[in-house]
């Protein structure tokens, strides 16, 4: 398993919590930088913004983009890329 590329924002003091935010299809962890800047929390928080691996996405004509797993279609009853989902879960668990 390859470690995820992440952006991390560390508070001035010791953090008492961490927030991990997963982005959507084709997006990037940088999309949540404004959120981290705007949210005021009562404690020091470390933000972890991982980037999904770049992979071909079937529903987008096989175009390679950041995605946590392959999306094969719009039929929600159909199972998606179980191996890709499990690999992403394992990568996020490794961050924790």
């Amino acid at each position: 398993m390859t470690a995820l590329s992440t952006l991390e924002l560390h508070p001035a003091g010791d953090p008492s919590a961490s927030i991990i935010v997963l982005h959507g299809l084709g997006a990037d962890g940088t999309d949540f930088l404004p959120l981290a800047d705007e949210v005021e929390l009562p404690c020091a928080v470390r933000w972890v913004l991982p980037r999904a691996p770049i992979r071909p996405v079937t529903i987008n004509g096989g175009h390679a983009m950041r995605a946590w797993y392959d999306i094969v279609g719009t039929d929600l009853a159909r199972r998606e890329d179980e191996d890709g989902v499990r690999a992403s879960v394992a990568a996020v668990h490794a961050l924790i």
Side-chain angles (χ1 to χ4, degrees), residues 53-84:
I54 296 174
R55 66 177 74 220
V57 177
T58 303
I59 198 168
N60 287 341
H63 178 72
M65 59 186 8
R66 293 205 181 274
W68 297 107
Y69 56 89
D70 187 21
I71 300 173
V72 296
T74 58
D75 181 2
L76 298 178
R78 182 176 172 177
R79 297 212 127 209
E80 294 293 346
D81 173 20
E82 184 176 346
D83 290 339

Side-chain angles (χ1 to χ4, degrees), residues 17-21 39 41 45-50:
S18 293
I19 297 176
I20 300 174
V21 182
V39 173
L41 298 169
V45 171
R46 175 178 66 121
W47 290 82
V48 181
L49 310 172

